[in-house]
C-alpha cells in the first residue's frame, strides 16, 4: 500500500487553495501591471493631440498654475507635479490628492495643463475612464477601483502570492535545476499535460521575479494595514490653505539647498500642516534607486526644514528606495520594460494553469 505523505498533501492543498481564492485577482493585477510598464508612453500616444503643446511665449510661473489648480479644486489634501522634467512640448501633469470622506473611493484626481497658456487640457478623477484610461488602470492596479477595501485586498494578495510561491517551491523543488538546465520538456499530448508542464516550467522560471514583484508591491502598500490611515480617510478634505510664499521661490530655495538633485516629483501643499517638498535622484545616481533624496520647506516661512540624501541613509532605507524600480521595471530601457510586460503576465498564466490542474484533480476524484 502506498504511503501517504501528509506534509506534501497539506502543502499541495494550501498551494491550490491560495491559487483558487486569489487567481482571478492575480490575473487582473498581472494584466494591469503589464500595461502600466509603458504607462507614460501609451498615455501620450493615445492622447497625443491633447498632451502635445506648442511653445508660445514664456512658460507660466509655477505659482500661477499652483493657484489655478487650488481655485479649480478648493478641497485638496495636496498636489503633486509629476513631470517637472517635462520637455518644451509636453503638458504639465499633476496628481490631485482629494478625500471625500468615504473609504469606498480612492479619491485621486489628475489634471493636465498647458504651461504656456494655462489652459486645462484634462481634469478628472482616476475612478473614471475620462480623463485617462491608462490612469484608470493605474488606480485599478492599486485598489481594483474599490477604494480602501480594494487597496487592502490587493495588499493581501501580495502576501498570498508570496505564500503560493513558497509552497510551489516546496512542491517543485526537485524540478528547479532540471527546468533551469532545460532538461524538462513540454508534452503537447493534451490539455492536461500542457497545463501541467506549463505550470511547472513557468512557475520555476517566474519564481525569482514573482518574489520581487509581489514583495515590493506588498511593502509599498503596507500602509493599507494601518488603522490610522483608514481613520484619516473618513474625514473630508477641508478648504485649501495655499502657501503664503510663491511656489517658484520655494522651488528656487530647494534647488539652491541641493543643487545636484534632479526633481522627479514636486509636492505643492494645500493644507496648513503640509510642507513644500521636492524629491528625486541625484546626478549619476544608479537607476536602481527611485528618489530617496528630498528637500522640505515650510511654505509659511520659506525656510528649509529638512534635507535627505540617500547616500546618508541606512542599508534598509537604501534597499527600500530600490523597491519601486524593481516593481515597475523603471531601472532599464525598453528591453527591460518589455521583459516586465512578459513577467506581469506570468502570474495570470499560472493561475489559469493552476485552475486547470485543480479541475483535473476534482474531475478525476469524482469520475
Amino acid at each position: 500500500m502506498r504511503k501517504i505523505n501528509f506534509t506534501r498533501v497539506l502543502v499541495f492543498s494550501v498551494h491550490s487553495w491560495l491559487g483558487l481564492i486569489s487567481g482571478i485577482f492575480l490575473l487582473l493585477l498581472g494584466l494591469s501591471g503589464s500595461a502600466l510598464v509603458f504607462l507614460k508612453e501609451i498615455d501620450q500616444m493615445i492622447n497625443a493631440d491633447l498632451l502635445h503643446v506648442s511653445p508660445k511665449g514664456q512658460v507660466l510661473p509655477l505659482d500661477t498654475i499652483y493657484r489655478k489648480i487650488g481655485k479649480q479644486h478648493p478641497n485638496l489634501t495636496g498636489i503633486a507635479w509629476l513631470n517637472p522634467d517635462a520637455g518644451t512640448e509636453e503638458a504639465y501633469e499633476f496628481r490631485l490628492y482629494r478625500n471625500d470622506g468615504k473609504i469606498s473611493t480612492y479619491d485621486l484626481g489628475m489634471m493636465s495643463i498647458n504651461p504656456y497658456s494655462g489652459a486645462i487640457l484634462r481634469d478628472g478623477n482616476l475612478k473614471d475612464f475620462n480623463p485617462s484610461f491608462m490612469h484608470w488602470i493605474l488606480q485599478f492596479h492599486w485598489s481594483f477601483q474599490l477604494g480602501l477595501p480594494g487597496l487592502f485586498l490587493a495588499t493581501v494578495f501580495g502576501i498570498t502570492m508570496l505564500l503560493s510561491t513558497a509552497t510551489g517551491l516546496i512542491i517543485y523543488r526537485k524540478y528547479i535545476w532540471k527546468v533551469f538546465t532545460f532538461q524538462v520538456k513540454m508534452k503537447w499530448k493534451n490539455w492536461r499535460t500542457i497545463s501541467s508542464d506549463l505550470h511547472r516550467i513557468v512557475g520555476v522560471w517566474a519564481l525569482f521575479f514573482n518574489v520581487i514583484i509581489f514583495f515590493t508591491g506588498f511593502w509599498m502598500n503596507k500602509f493599507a494595514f494601518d488603522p490610522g490611515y483608514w481613520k484619516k480617510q473618513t474625514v473630508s478634505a477641508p478648504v485649501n490653505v495655499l502657501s503664503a510664499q510663491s511656489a517658484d521661490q520655494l522651488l528656487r530655495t530647494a534647488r539652491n539647498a541641493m543643487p545636484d538633485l534632479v526633481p522627479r516629483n514636486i509636492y505643492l501643499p494645500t493644507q496648513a500642516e503640509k510642507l513644500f517638498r521636492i524629491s528625486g535622484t541625484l546626478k549619476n545616481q544608479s537607476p536602481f534607486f527611485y528618489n530617496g533624496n528630498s528637500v522640505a520647506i515650510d511654505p509659511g516661512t520659506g525656510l528649509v526644514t529638512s534635507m535627505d540624501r540617500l547616500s546618508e541613509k541606512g542599508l534598509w532605507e537604501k534597499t527600500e528606495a530600490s523597491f519601486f524600480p524593481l516593481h515597475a521595471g523603471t531601472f532599464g530601457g525598453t528591453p527591460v520594460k518589455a521583459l516586465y510586460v512578459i513577467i506581469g503576465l506570468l502570474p495570470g498564466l499560472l493561475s489559469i494553469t493552476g485552475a486547470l490542474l485543480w479541475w483535473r484533480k476534482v474531475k478525476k476524484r469524482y469520475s
Side-chain angles (χ1 to χ4, degrees):
M1 185 175 179
R2 186 179 178 184
K3 186 178 180 180
I4 299 176
N5 187 329
F6 289 102
T7 301
R8 180 176 174 80
V9 171
L10 176 62
V11 171
F12 187 83
S13 296
V14 171
H15 184 76
S16 299
W17 282 109
L18 285 173
L20 288 171
I21 293 171
S22 58
I24 184 63
F25 293 98
L26 293 176
L27 177 61
L28 295 173
L29 284 172
L31 290 172
S32 57
S34 291
L36 291 173
V37 171
F38 288 100
L39 183 152
K40 182 176 179 180
E41 292 85 348
I42 296 175
D43 188 44
Q44 289 186 337
M45 179 182 68
I46 294 174
N47 301 290
D49 294 339
L50 185 68
L51 300 180
H52 179 271
V53 298
S54 299
K56 294 180 179 179
Q58 298 295 317
V59 172
L60 292 173
L62 176 60
D63 193 69
T64 300
I65 298 175
Y66 165 52
R67 297 184 190 282
K68 182 182 184 72
I69 298 173
K71 183 178 180 180
Q72 183 79 9
H73 295 276
N75 299 89
L76 296 174
T77 60
I79 302 168
W81 184 13
L82 302 179
N83 62 339
D85 57 346
T88 56
E89 297 183 346
E90 287 185 62
Y92 285 179
E93 300 283 348
F94 295 90
R95 174 77 71 246
L96 309 183
Y97 296 97
R98 304 189 286 207
N99 187 0
D100 58 7
K102 301 175 182 178
I103 63 171
S104 59
T105 57
Y106 206 115
D107 202 14
L108 292 176
M110 69 171 302
M111 182 180 285
S112 301
I113 293 180
N114 185 320
Y116 301 97
S117 66
I120 297 174
L121 305 176
R122 59 180 179 180
D123 182 13
N125 198 301
L126 299 194
K127 64 184 179 183
D128 302 318
F129 290 127
N130 184 31
S132 169
F133 176 66
M134 289 304 299
H135 284 82
W136 181 92
I137 293 178
L138 176 64
Q139 181 153 302
F140 179 87
H141 189 71
W142 288 338
S143 64
F144 301 114
Q145 292 291 1
L146 297 174
L148 289 183
L151 176 66
F152 180 84
L153 194 62
T155 309
V156 168
F157 286 142
I159 299 175
T160 63
M161 191 57 189
L162 289 172
L163 292 174
S164 181
T165 302
T167 52
L169 176 62
I170 295 172
I171 294 169
Y172 295 116
R173 64 189 183 281
K174 295 180 181 179
Y175 291 92
I176 293 177
W177 179 249
K178 292 180 180 180
V179 171
F180 285 154
T181 54
F182 302 98
Q183 297 179 46
V184 178
K185 305 297 182 181
M186 279 287 301
K187 301 181 185 69
W188 304 96
K189 185 177 179 181
N190 52 51
W191 70 268
R192 297 176 182 82
T193 59
I194 293 173
S195 58
S196 179
D197 288 348
L198 267 179
H199 196 77
R200 181 186 299 115
I201 294 171
V202 172
V204 170
W205 278 107
L207 177 66
F208 176 71
F209 295 109
N210 280 344
V211 170
I212 291 177
I213 296 298
F214 285 96
F215 176 76
T216 53
F218 156 73
W219 193 261
M220 289 188 294
N221 283 347
K222 68 183 187 301
F223 64 88
F225 295 126
D226 181 7
Y229 181 78
W230 283 64
K231 185 176 181 180
K232 283 169 55 179
Q233 301 310 303
T234 62
V235 180
S236 300
V239 175
N240 294 340
V241 180
L242 301 184
S243 170
Q245 303 284 328
S246 164
D248 298 274
Q249 180 57 48
L250 295 174
L251 181 57
R252 283 192 291 270
T253 300
R255 286 184 177 276
N256 290 335
M258 195 178 290
D260 54 344
L261 178 65
V262 180
R264 303 295 186 196
N265 185 290
I266 296 178
Y267 183 83
L268 303 164
T270 58
Q271 298 300 324
E273 72 279 7
K274 300 294 182 68
L275 300 174
F276 175 93
R277 185 185 302 273
I278 67 171
S279 57
T281 58
L282 299 182
K283 295 175 182 177
N284 301 318
Q285 181 173 300
S286 169
F288 277 101
F289 298 106
Y290 178 78
N291 290 341
N293 312 280
S294 63
V295 179
I297 301 177
D298 186 324
T301 64
L303 299 177
V304 174
T305 61
S306 65
M307 290 197 301
D308 291 311
R309 288 180 177 271
L310 184 62
S311 60
E312 299 172 355
K313 296 181 179 180
L315 177 60
W316 177 245
E317 290 174 299
K318 291 178 181 177
T319 302
E320 281 188 299
S322 71
F323 283 178
F324 180 79
L326 287 174
H327 186 80
T330 59
F331 59 87
T334 300
V336 171
K337 288 187 173 184
L339 176 62
Y340 264 70
V341 171
I342 298 173
I343 291 171
L345 298 175
L346 296 184
L349 177 60
L350 289 172
S351 68
I352 293 171
T353 54
L356 290 173
L357 291 173
W358 174 83
W359 173 247
R360 183 183 71 175
K361 188 176 180 68
V362 170
K363 191 175 180 181
K364 183 178 180 180
R365 181 184 301 170
Y366 293 101
S367 61

